[in-house]
């Protein structure tokens, strides 16, 4: 609920526990917790209930994270990376902050869309594994469970991405891998520096199959 957000982080131990406790965590570093910028930060926090927001005015915490005042930092566990947004600029409001978070909130399995695509492209991970599938399929929840379990095994190595084949905006990606709807679900692995890729069209998704496919490509 919005009343619990953001969490006040008064020391380094609290801040570290906060960051490590979520796949994606956002901290606002504000010298003045009542400033107009922190007000916009609170507005954004209220609109993204699934992302934990913390707020710190502690000089020790700011120094620990090398953050300057009036900065919002998004921490993500999947590639152990962070993204900073300077709130000192008067143009940055709650709407822009929400877009910044939506763009950069890469998760264990990130759903691909025009907004998350930007974060995916900027990730430090060079390997992306796509599950191209129909989200409306009755088999979807079970496929996702297995894909998720496999993603745990490659944290920090491969970015796992879900691509819904029903979305018109995703048709270009499906055709890039030369796949037809009848061949789905499919797995596509991609090495971003040189565009090298491989595609697998299994009858069904299993953790072992995903592992085998990833390991072969990594080797």
């Amino acid at each position: 609920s919005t009343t619990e957000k953001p969490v006040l982080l008064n020391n380094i131990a609290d801040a570290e526990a906060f960051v490590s406790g979520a796949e994606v965590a956002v901290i606002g570093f504000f010298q003045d917790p009542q400033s107009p910028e922190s007000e916009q930060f609170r507005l954004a926090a209220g609109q993204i209930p699934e992302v934990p927001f913390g707020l710190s005015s502690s000089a020790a915490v700011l120094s620990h994270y090398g953050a300057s005042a009036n900065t919002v930092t998004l921490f993500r566990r999947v590639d152990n990376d962070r993204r900073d947004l300077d709130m000192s600029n008067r143009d940055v409001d709650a709407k822009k902050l929400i877009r910044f978070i939506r763009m950069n909130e890469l998760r264990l399995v990130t759903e691909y869309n025009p907004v998350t695509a930007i974060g995916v492209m900027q990730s430090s991970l060079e390997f992306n594994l796509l599950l191209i599938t129909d989200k409306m399929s009755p088999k979807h929840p079970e496929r996702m469970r297995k894909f998720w379990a496999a993603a745990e095994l490659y944290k920090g190595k491969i970015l796992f991405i879900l691509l819904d084949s029903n979305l018109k905006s995703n048709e270009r990606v499906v055709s890039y891998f030369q796949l037809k709807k009848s061949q789905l679900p499919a797995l596509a692995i991609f090495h971003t520096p040189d565009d090298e890729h491989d595609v697998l069209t299994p009858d069904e998704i299993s953790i072992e199959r995903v592992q085998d496919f990833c390991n072969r490509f990594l080797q």
Side-chain angles (χ1 to χ4, degrees), residues 30-39 42:
F30 297 106
Q31 262 167 337
D32 175 8
Q34 304 309 323
S35 65
E37 295 89 351
S38 58
E39 204 38 59
R42 284 187 175 86

Side-chain angles (χ1 to χ4, degrees), residues 73-90:
T73 300
L74 177 142
F75 297 88
R76 53 191 194 207
R77 202 193 301 167
V78 66
D79 56 357
N80 207 9
D81 210 343
R82 64 183 265 184
R83 290 283 179 269
D84 295 334
L85 178 68
D86 183 3
M87 293 287 284
S88 305
N89 184 335
R90 290 279 168 218

Side-chain angles (χ1 to χ4, degrees), residues 153-166:
L153 307 171
Y154 293 95
K155 208 161 36 192
K157 282 195 194 139
I158 300 175
L159 200 56
F160 275 56
I161 297 161
L162 168 68
L163 190 105
D164 184 4
S165 56
N166 289 316

Side-chain angles (χ1 to χ4, degrees), residues 93-108:
D93 56 7
K95 199 173 160 195
K96 287 198 174 142
L97 178 53
I98 289 167
R99 182 173 162 74
F100 165 78
I101 291 164
R102 290 299 185 214
M103 215 163 74
N104 290 294
E105 58 167 343
L106 301 182
R107 295 172 177 274
L108 201 54

Side-chain angles (χ1 to χ4, degrees), residues 75-214:
F75 297 88
R76 53 191 194 207
R77 202 193 301 167
V78 66
D79 56 357
N80 207 9
D81 210 343
R82 64 183 265 184
R83 290 283 179 269
D84 295 334
L85 178 68
D86 183 3
M87 293 287 284
S88 305
N89 184 335
R90 290 279 168 218
D91 294 346
V92 180
D93 56 7
K95 199 173 160 195
K96 287 198 174 142
L97 178 53
I98 289 167
R99 182 173 162 74
F100 165 78
I101 291 164
R102 290 299 185 214
M103 215 163 74
N104 290 294
E105 58 167 343
L106 301 182
R107 295 172 177 274
L108 201 54
V109 175
T110 299
E111 182 159 358
Y112 187 89
N113 60 44
V115 179
T116 59
I118 299 163
V120 165
M121 284 164 190
Q122 291 176 347
S123 168
S124 55
L125 298 184
E126 295 186 342
F127 294 95
N128 294 346
L129 178 71
L130 282 75
L131 169 59
I132 303 169
T133 186
D134 173 2
K135 267 179 81 179
M136 305 306 284
S137 159
K139 292 180 175 176
H140 180 68
E142 185 54 22
R143 277 177 196 152
M144 273 308 286
R145 195 183 64 71
K146 290 173 179 164
F147 194 59
W148 201 275
E152 276 281 4
L153 307 171
Y154 293 95
K155 208 161 36 192
K157 282 195 194 139
I158 300 175
L159 200 56
F160 275 56
I161 297 161
L162 168 68
L163 190 105
D164 184 4
S165 56
N166 289 316
L167 291 185
K168 207 150 183 52
S169 57
N170 287 338
E171 282 175 0
R172 228 177 73 235
V173 183
V174 178
S175 66
Y176 173 82
F177 292 111
Q178 298 174 334
L179 288 162
K180 297 187 195 74
K181 280 259 169 102
S182 58
Q183 293 173 292
L184 303 180
L187 292 168
I189 196 163
F190 192 88
H191 184 232
T192 47
D194 57 12
D195 289 354
E196 198 178 324
H197 61 271
D198 195 8
V199 177
L200 180 71
T201 51
D203 347 316
E204 224 17 271
I205 302 298
S206 72
I207 301 169
E208 296 70 33
R209 206 160 279 155
V210 172
Q211 265 188 284
D212 184 49
F213 182 55
C214 288

